[in-house]
Amino acid sequence: MPADAPLFPRAANGRLELVPYLMAGYPDRHRSIENGRRMAGAGVAALEIGIPFSDPLADGPVIQKAGQAALEGGLTVGGAIEIAAAISGRAALVFMSYINPILAYGPDRFAADASSAGVAALIVPDLPVEEAEALKPVFRQAGLDTVFLVAPTSTDERIQRICAASTGFVYCVTLTGITGVRADLPAGLDALLGRVRARTELPVAAGFGISRPEHIAALKGHADAAVVGSALVAADDPLPLVEELLAACG
Amino acid sequence: MPLRYGVYGGRYVPETLVSPLEELEAAWRSARADPAFQAELELQRRDFVGRPTPLYFAERLSAHFGQARVHLKREDLCHTGAHKLNNALGQALLARRMGKQRIIAETGAGQHGVATATVGARFGFECTVYMGTEDMRRQAVNVERMRMLGAEVREVTAGTRTLKDATSEAIRDWVTNVRMTHYIIGSAVGPHPYPEMVRDLQRVIGDEARAQYLEAEGRLPEVVVACVGGGSNAIGIFTAFLDDENVRLLGVEAGGAGLDGGRHAASLVAGRPGVLHGSLSYLLQDADGQVLPTHSISAGLDYPGVGPEHSLLRDLERAEYLAVTDREALEAFQLCTRLEGILPALEPAHALAAAARLEGRVLLCLSGRGDKDLATVLAG
């Protein structure tokens, strides 16, 4: 069972933690392991590993296309678990998967295999807290933290429920929309992060639309970590951007 | 808890949509119970849609089939040529009541897109319709109709470039613009409350048809037949007969090139439960939970999922589902055209093909007209 311990420390002394995203199997199996190892070893708080799905409703074109390419390259759920195992030991690993591949693999088996591979937490973007009631104990039993998402449209009452259901950290979706690079952080984000902060002792990670050092600077004091996805997936080599963002974090 | 049909349905959506779906559910319950809303819906159904649609005895088709006495519920005579307007009209009235300024929709055959563009024009909404590249090619005339009605048609190039991908893209638009936008989903699919709301708006088909059939024949039909893609016309006609235990309910899915080769869209016949577009239902998917490409000559049936209530009716064996191939549907299209002077859409042509094998008193939902399919039929 996971302790109630957070997956990474809360921000202190004006720092922010970085959580980069990797699409398993993209651009191919070998390079996703290499990129994952390098990013995980660069001093990040955690590495989020996406399991591709044919119909990713919460994702913008960059992650959609990467997922499609990974699937065309033959990546399976089992293959994504193997990739996680090959990366593990360098940073906390978090799986991001839509619910259907998990249901098809079998939730019990998925939780056990992910945990054995060294994965510490799970994010399921199309599984809101209500739908997760039956599955949450399955994941927690296997030692996986369950991270739920808060959105700008969430009511205070829902934020309360989401924070109560989450372990490891709470994921705050910064904008009303899908994943992808934006020029600016949305107005009102500080207030949203404040509403989440007031309801949990867990670290709060902000994600969606974050890609630049300026974004990192703007999040300091409001969030504990920043999740960066599309900008890294789109880069031929994600490491330089990870290092640039880490420099802004410190 | 979200309303479910047995284990099916639910609300498997990004958190961003949960509160809007709760608001939509509350708005729909309030509208449904409001006599003023119902009166407006009734009036617009009569004067704008052209309801009630006739029940028609297909005398020559019945004689040709031999064993079946077939009545057609003429949804093809609805304004815009299909049952889709029943749903689009009701949801547009709801969107207006909720103060939304923009409506969006996905479309496969183009009929739901045309219906949505039509209510967009009628009620003054900004309107965007998502359509796969492949369907825009197959249904070019409907694309022009939508544009003429003032809608923006956005091409979807992702995935299989058909209805599934157009639906995903419409949901992504809704996630992004949810505060000002109402998503008029076109079938009895999607997260709760959509399957229930679409059924409520389509059950007028069965309510009318049951009364008309009793009036015409003095008894109930033995079998009610409808085609099933997402399943809105089928659930619309089935609902009125659910309590009539002796009435068989038969849903006809797209068998495409045949079930063996995998080139079909028969979710209930050949799929297994999974989550797509916000609900748990029968789904065509591979062993790893990836949604499979589908094939049907009919763009409106070319969808890997199905409404969750059909999944429950299947498991309960209250309704039966079978698949009809492209070839059989094309033959039925020709027969109905030649013998009755009615061009059916390729979607209900699947139901007609199934009716050819039935015996006894058959009520069939002729869900739309076939003018949009002429190019496909001529090429087939």
Side-chain angles (χ1 to χ4, degrees):
Chain A
M1 291 287 288
D4 284 336
L7 197 65
F8 47 82
R10 293 263 302 263
N13 308 322
R15 262 193 59 82
L16 196 76
E17 298 288 348
L18 186 67
V19 180
Y21 173 96
L22 171 84
M23 173 60 81
Y26 180 80
D28 55 45
R29 182 177 183 280
H30 174 72
R31 278 183 286 173
S32 74
I33 291 172
E34 279 309 299
N35 287 339
R37 285 177 172 166
R38 290 161 71 223
M39 289 197 284
V44 302
L47 177 70
E48 202 179 298
I49 302 177
I51 298 178
F53 180 48
S54 52
D55 298 83
L57 290 184
D59 285 305
V62 169
I63 292 180
Q64 280 177 49
K65 281 180 187 140
Q68 205 165 333
L71 291 173
E72 281 161 14
L75 190 81
T76 60
V77 174
I81 293 171
E82 285 170 22
I83 288 172
I87 296 169
S88 75
R90 294 164 175 84
L93 300 184
V94 182
F95 260 151
M96 163 87 94
S97 174
Y98 288 84
I99 189 61
N100 203 53
I102 296 176
L103 294 178
Y105 193 86
D108 292 278
R109 182 176 156 229
F110 177 82
D113 290 357
S115 185
S116 301
V119 173
L122 178 61
I123 303 172
V124 185
D126 59 348
L127 195 71
V129 282
E130 293 83 354
E131 298 293 357
E133 305 230 333
L135 288 173
K136 201 172 58 175
V138 173
F139 302 139
R140 299 279 282 277
Q141 204 82 48
L144 293 178
D145 279 323
T146 50
V147 177
F148 289 93
L149 298 96
V150 168
T153 51
S154 304
T155 59
D156 286 346
E157 189 195 346
R158 288 195 62 78
I159 294 176
Q160 187 76 47
R161 278 184 79 174
I162 292 162
C163 289
S166 295
T167 54
F169 65 100
V170 176
Y171 192 127
C172 183
V173 175
T174 61
L175 49 83
T176 307
I178 53 179
T179 60
V181 170
R182 271 81 164 178
D184 301 305
L185 294 182
L189 176 57
D190 295 354
L192 174 65
L193 287 166
R195 286 164 63 207
V196 181
R197 176 78 291 152
R199 288 171 178 81
T200 183
E201 291 302 313
L202 289 170
V204 177
F208 285 39
I210 301 170
S211 62
R212 300 178 179 186
E214 312 85 276
H215 300 159
I216 301 287
L219 285 169
K220 283 185 182 172
H222 302 287
D224 301 299
V227 183
V228 178
S230 296
L232 294 172
V233 172
D236 286 334
D237 177 0
L239 204 66
L241 180 55
V242 166
E243 283 167 349
E244 191 187 352
L245 295 170
L246 275 171
C249 281
Chain B
M1 277 295 284
L3 190 138
R4 285 177 178 271
Y5 302 93
V7 300
Y8 302 109
R11 198 177 264 162
Y12 298 90
V13 293
E15 170 64 21
T16 307
L17 292 180
V18 175
S19 291
L21 285 166
E22 286 174 349
E23 284 165 28
L24 180 63
E25 181 180 1
W28 176 240
R29 290 192 190 288
S30 143
R32 195 170 54 178
D34 179 356
F37 181 87
Q38 289 298 337
E40 174 72 7
L41 182 60
E42 193 60 36
L43 181 75
Q44 296 295 336
R45 274 178 176 167
R46 190 190 72 194
D47 296 348
F48 189 63
V49 182
R51 302 207 72 88
T53 57
L55 180 77
Y56 168 78
F57 174 48
E59 190 179 353
R60 297 189 69 212
L61 201 57
S62 299
H64 182 86
F65 289 164
Q67 305 296 314
R69 178 178 171 82
V70 181
H71 282 75
L72 306 177
K73 177 61 173 166
R74 297 289 308 275
E75 293 299 299
D76 60 313
L77 294 178
C78 286
H79 177 42
T80 73
H83 74 292
K84 295 293 186 188
L85 191 59
N86 301 327
N87 171 47
L89 167 68
Q91 289 202 46
L93 291 174
L94 181 67
R96 189 174 69 175
R97 185 184 165 101
M98 292 177 78
K100 304 287 183 181
Q101 293 164 8
R102 177 172 178 261
I103 53 177
I104 59 171
E106 83 293 340
T107 198
Q111 292 303 102
H112 175 57
V114 167
T116 303
T118 298
V119 295
R122 166 68 183 79
F123 296 101
F125 290 107
E126 185 189 333
C127 178
T128 302
V129 177
Y130 289 89
M131 192 168 188
T133 307
E134 172 65 13
D135 289 336
M136 287 179 74
R137 185 188 62 73
R138 288 195 277 193
Q139 304 290 345
V141 175
N142 273 341
V143 174
E144 290 312 316
R145 285 169 81 191
M146 287 184 268
R147 287 180 174 149
M148 210 165 279
L149 287 158
E152 179 196 357
V153 181
R154 284 195 197 157
E155 180 175 351
V156 177
T157 56
T160 54
R161 305 175 174 195
T162 59
L163 181 54
K164 168 185 83 102
D165 306 287
T167 305
S168 295
E169 211 48 45
I171 293 174
R172 291 188 189 106
D173 179 315
W174 201 41
V175 168
T176 306
N177 302 297
V178 65
R179 289 190 170 96
M180 302 309 291
T181 299
H182 175 64
Y183 174 27
I184 302 188
I185 205 165
S187 192
V189 300
H192 178 68
Y194 278 107
E196 180 186 338
M197 181 164 67
V198 175
R199 179 200 61 198
D200 289 346
L201 289 167
Q202 292 292 5
R203 68 166 295 163
V204 66
I205 302 171
D207 289 341
E208 284 177 9
R210 190 176 183 281
Q212 289 167 320
Y213 199 95
L214 281 171
E215 169 85 25
E217 297 288 287
R219 56 208 299 190
L220 289 172
E222 288 164 290
V223 194
V224 177
V225 191
C227 62
V228 178
S232 70
N233 90 89
I235 208 68
I237 197 163
F238 286 177
T239 298
F241 297 93
L242 284 177
D243 293 335
D244 300 320
E245 287 172 20
N246 295 325
V247 177
R248 273 177 74 194
L249 305 176
L250 185 61
V252 185
E253 296 195 300
L259 294 181
D260 292 342
R263 293 189 72 239
H264 60 81
S267 336
L268 289 159
V269 172
R272 61 176 209 283
V275 172
L276 177 66
H277 297 146
S279 64
L280 179 70
S281 198
Y282 277 83
L283 178 64
L284 294 169
Q285 54 183 322
D286 69 13
D288 226 32
Q290 306 297 341
V291 180
L292 288 168
T294 52
H295 165 78
S296 170
I297 194 167
S298 141
L301 302 184
D302 201 352
Y303 182 69
V306 68
E309 193 170 2
H310 286 294
S311 290
L312 178 62
L313 293 174
R314 174 200 186 277
D315 285 4
L316 296 174
E317 298 180 2
R318 177 62 191 94
E320 303 153 58
Y321 298 88
L322 56 80
V324 153
T325 63
D326 290 349
R327 183 182 299 274
E328 293 168 310
L330 282 168
E331 284 168 12
F333 176 99
Q334 299 285 4
L335 268 183
C336 186
T337 302
R338 286 296 181 87
L339 294 175
E340 296 294 345
I342 297 171
L343 275 78
L346 283 172
E347 290 80 10
H350 287 70
L352 287 163
R357 308 171 198 158
L358 295 173
E359 295 177 10
R361 296 184 303 279
V362 173
L363 168 64
L364 186 148
C365 187
L366 195 78
S367 55
R369 58 191 287 170
D371 306 57
K372 68 181 175 64
D373 294 319
L374 285 186
T376 307
V377 171
L378 291 172

